[in-house]
Amino acid sequence: MKRHFWKNRQWVTIAVEEIVVGLVVMLHYQQLDIRLPPALGLLDDAPFGLLYITVGVVLLVNSLWDFYWYRIRLVLIALSGGMWTALTFSYAINDYVTNNVTIVPFIFGIITLNVFLSAWDEPRYKLKGGEHV
């Protein structure tokens, strides 16, 4: 497990960030402005916080035990990238709607960039479910 931790430390970090954001959303939901489109306004509700925690825990387990069969790594990376992109976009739109600039979209943007760079560095055989083609 320690070997997998050092090998997959980017994904461990991203998983912990997802869990923390999920906990924050669960404890302090409804931070986005009411005038946002409904699809973006829902991203800070308690059920989505639970979804963020779930994705983070599964990604953490996946990273620490380094299993990648059935393309699970690809699915988890896609879910993480989509989650962080949606959060970044919704908080940036929220800043635009409220005419207020906060640091939250910039932090989420850096995490999103880290997810995409980590996905780029991921070995292709792990993304294909272990096929050595």
Side-chain angles (χ1 to χ4, degrees):
M1 191 164 82
K2 282 194 270 185
R3 180 175 53 108
H4 295 304
F5 172 81
W6 288 110
K7 190 167 65 170
N8 297 318
R9 63 186 173 275
Q10 313 95 300
W11 295 116
V12 172
T13 304
I14 292 167
V16 170
E17 290 166 348
E18 287 177 3
I19 293 168
V20 168
V21 166
L23 289 173
V24 169
V25 167
M26 293 281 291
L27 296 174
H28 300 286
Y29 59 92
Q30 296 296 326
Q31 297 295 316
L32 293 173
D33 193 78
I34 193 86
R35 296 174 288 180
L36 280 178
L40 293 178
L42 290 175
L43 293 175
D44 72 334
D45 289 345
F48 280 92
L50 187 60
L51 178 69
Y52 303 152
I53 291 171
T54 304
V55 170
V57 167
V58 173
L59 182 62
L60 182 64
V61 168
N62 181 273
S63 300
L64 290 178
W65 277 274
D66 201 27
F67 56 89
Y68 42 83
W69 24 263
Y70 298 118
R71 300 179 193 257
I72 187 73
R73 183 70 57 102
L74 182 64
V75 171
L76 288 172
I77 290 171
L79 282 173
S80 295
M83 181 196 89
W84 286 112
T85 302
L87 279 173
T88 303
F89 187 67
S90 65
Y91 277 88
I93 296 294
N94 183 61
D95 284 358
Y96 177 74
V97 167
T98 60
N99 291 326
N100 188 12
V101 177
T102 62
I103 195 165
V104 175
F106 296 106
I107 293 171
F108 287 168
I110 290 169
I111 295 171
T112 303
L113 182 65
N114 184 28
V115 169
F116 289 126
L117 290 176
S118 297
W120 183 264
D121 288 340
E122 190 70 12
R124 297 298 173 237
Y125 70 91
K126 288 185 179 183
L127 298 177
K128 294 180 179 181
E131 299 172 9
H132 288 289
V133 177

